[in-house]
Amino acid sequence: MAKLPILIYPSPIIRKKSLPITSINGELQRFIDDMAETMYAAPGVGLAAPQVGTLRRIIVLDPHDDRKPIRPLTLINPELVAAEGQYMDEEGCLCIPDIKAEVPRFGRVVVKAYDRNEKEIVVEGSGLLARILQHEIDHLNGVLFIDRLSTAKRELVKRRLKKAAKVNS
Ligand code: CO
């Protein structure tokens, strides 16, 4: 396994739409293992393939506080099939270090996907799990959590990001 470098905002790649997976082979299995290792090392609760520069519809996530035993959930070609309710909570993203904001999300979602063994699965989640699922599926469509903020909040965050970019350049 290997840790993969995570792309940082404003990388143009994380703004692109990812393509569906059509077959799962050994190479893809290894890539999924690398994604999980990268997520745990970050540490993060979810990671989408475009965040490591691969424009494919794969996400790994683990909403558990207790990371032992390690049990990442892998979703391939995930699709939101039902959603209800709304709640606000703080969110961040491995691609946007040091920025956190309250983001409105559905409170409960149902996601259809394939697991790493090409088996069709349905994941139902509320709370943190629902939030991670929505955040990571957004990544597959080039959408970042800052896009989900109100205009005023988004401007504030963008100003902070610009300032950070100046400091780092
Ligand atoms: Co993210």
Side-chain angles (χ1 to χ4, degrees), residues 22-23 30 38 51 73 83 85 92 101 115-116 139 144 150 163-164:
T22 48
S23 75
R30 279 190 293 280
T38 305
Q51 293 184 273
L73 187 58
D115 72 7
R116 55 182 299 154
H139 271 302
L144 302 173
S150 67
K163 236 188 244 170

Side-chain angles (χ1 to χ4, degrees), residues 37 72 74 76 79 81 93 146:
E37 187 181 342
T74 302
I76 293 164
E79 246 182 277
V81 290
C93 180
I146 51 173

Side-chain angles (χ1 to χ4, degrees), residues 46-48 51 91-96 135-136 139 143-145:
L47 186 77
Q51 293 184 273
E91 224 169 277
C93 180
L94 295 174
C95 296
I96 312 175
H135 179 113
E136 302 309 333
H139 271 302
V143 175
L144 302 173
F145 80 92

Side-chain angles (χ1 to χ4, degrees), residues 1 5 14 31 34-35 38 44 49 57 60-61 77 89 99 101 103 109 114 120 126 132 161 163:
M1 298 222 287
I14 56 175
F31 174 67
D34 290 345
M35 277 182 70
T38 305
R57 302 187 82 80
V60 294
L61 57 113
N77 300 343
D89 204 353
I99 300 277
V103 184
V109 297
Y114 290 91
E120 211 177 349
S126 57
I132 300 169
L161 285 168
K163 236 188 244 170

